[in-house]
Amino acid sequence: MSGDDLNPAAMAQPVEDVQGDGRWLSQHSRFVQECKDGEPDVLFVGDSMIQLMQQFEVWGECFSPLHALNFGIGGDTTCNVLWRLQNGELENICPKVVVLWVGTNNYEHSAEQVAGGILAIAQLLTSRLPKAKVVVLGLLPRGEHPNPLREKNSAVNKLLRSWLPRLGQAQLLDLSGELVHSDGTVSSQDMFDYLHLTSAGYRLVTKPLYDLLLQILEETPEERRASLV
């Protein structure tokens, strides 16, 4: 596993304020405040894939009723999410489930490093929230046609599928198969820029997630304890 201090994708770092408007830190501060004000059963955290989910009907119809908070920031890498979670975004809350979706923006890191960074976040979550289940969403395909970045994301998912079960309360949900057609292409109707999801794309990939969350949240306390043994 590569979720250690030697892995650059597992080193917590805030986003450098290149533009000078402080937007990233302002978003982080808002999330920290939401921790004080809300009592979520489900916490969503990650990059733009999480952030944009809140802009579509699927959030209001499916996830908001589950008492969910959305801590997604566009452009975030594993390093940025790790920093945010270490600096207040897990304070004062006890969610039953955490949904983590990050890694596609780690351009300068290898597949093994990216998987290690995601694993480091999952380890932090299981340590800070020992009663919560962690659902890691697999990286989605990039580009209309097969390409090296898509292969890299697929390799990350393969590593996570092997590593995450060792944490006990974490699991991978790989939704990428919902988007790739038999000829290897991805439709713009599902991913408008072949990276971010459309409304139809979100509906397609979040149905399995919604079903899984309902299953977890409906567990009795006895079932939850037994599953963690």
Side-chain angles (χ1 to χ4, degrees):
M1 295 190 217
S2 298
D4 53 38
D5 292 338
L6 299 178
N7 178 6
M11 298 179 67
Q13 291 181 339
V15 168
E16 183 181 357
D17 187 19
V18 178
Q19 281 89 16
D21 56 13
R23 287 184 303 113
W24 186 86
L25 196 57
S26 293
Q27 291 179 87
H28 166 65
S29 298
R30 174 166 57 85
F31 295 156
V32 173
Q33 184 60 46
E34 287 186 27
C35 289
K36 298 176 181 177
D37 299 335
E39 297 180 358
D41 285 333
V42 185
L43 174 64
F44 286 76
V45 63
D47 54 30
S48 60
M49 305 306 295
I50 290 292
Q51 183 181 40
L52 293 175
M53 188 185 296
Q54 203 167 10
Q55 308 303 315
F56 292 101
E57 298 88 350
V58 68
W59 181 263
E61 293 174 3
C62 297
F63 302 122
S64 184
L66 299 181
H67 305 289
L69 284 181
N70 186 309
F71 287 179
I73 299 182
D76 265 13
T77 66
T78 54
C79 305
N80 308 141
V81 169
L82 195 58
W83 188 92
R84 290 199 279 125
L85 294 179
Q86 289 178 353
N87 287 273
E89 292 187 16
L90 294 179
E91 300 296 327
N92 306 304
I93 56 174
C94 297
K96 298 174 182 176
V97 191
V98 180
V99 178
L100 174 65
W101 208 358
V102 70
T104 196
N105 295 318
N106 286 68
Y107 305 114
E108 59 189 39
H109 302 131
S110 68
E112 186 173 14
Q113 288 171 336
V114 177
I118 296 170
L119 180 70
I121 299 172
Q123 288 173 323
L124 175 66
L125 290 168
T126 56
S127 174
R128 295 279 187 90
L129 304 170
K131 295 182 180 179
K133 293 287 185 68
V134 178
V135 177
V136 177
L137 298 184
L139 302 188
L140 295 184
R142 299 174 62 108
E144 181 180 10
H145 303 282
N147 62 83
L149 278 177
R150 192 190 291 188
E151 293 173 7
K152 174 184 171 182
N153 284 3
S154 179
V156 170
N157 293 344
K158 184 177 180 180
L159 289 167
L160 291 174
R161 190 173 293 109
S162 171
W163 293 350
L164 285 172
R166 305 178 194 179
L167 296 182
Q169 59 197 89
Q171 66 184 96
L172 176 72
L173 181 60
D174 186 359
L175 306 169
S176 59
E178 305 288 336
L179 297 166
V180 181
H181 298 170
S182 58
D183 62 356
T185 63
V186 168
S187 171
S188 61
Q189 294 181 348
D190 297 326
M191 304 182 87
F192 62 88
D193 59 354
Y194 305 107
L195 171 61
H196 297 99
L197 294 164
T198 62
S199 178
Y202 270 113
R203 286 192 180 279
L204 190 64
V205 303
T206 56
K207 177 63 166 63
L209 172 61
Y210 179 63
D211 291 343
L212 176 60
L213 291 180
L214 288 182
Q215 177 184 330
I216 294 173
L217 293 171
E218 289 175 358
E219 284 185 351
T220 66
E222 291 76 16
E223 290 173 330
R224 191 176 302 279
R225 282 195 294 269
S227 68
L228 293 177
V229 172

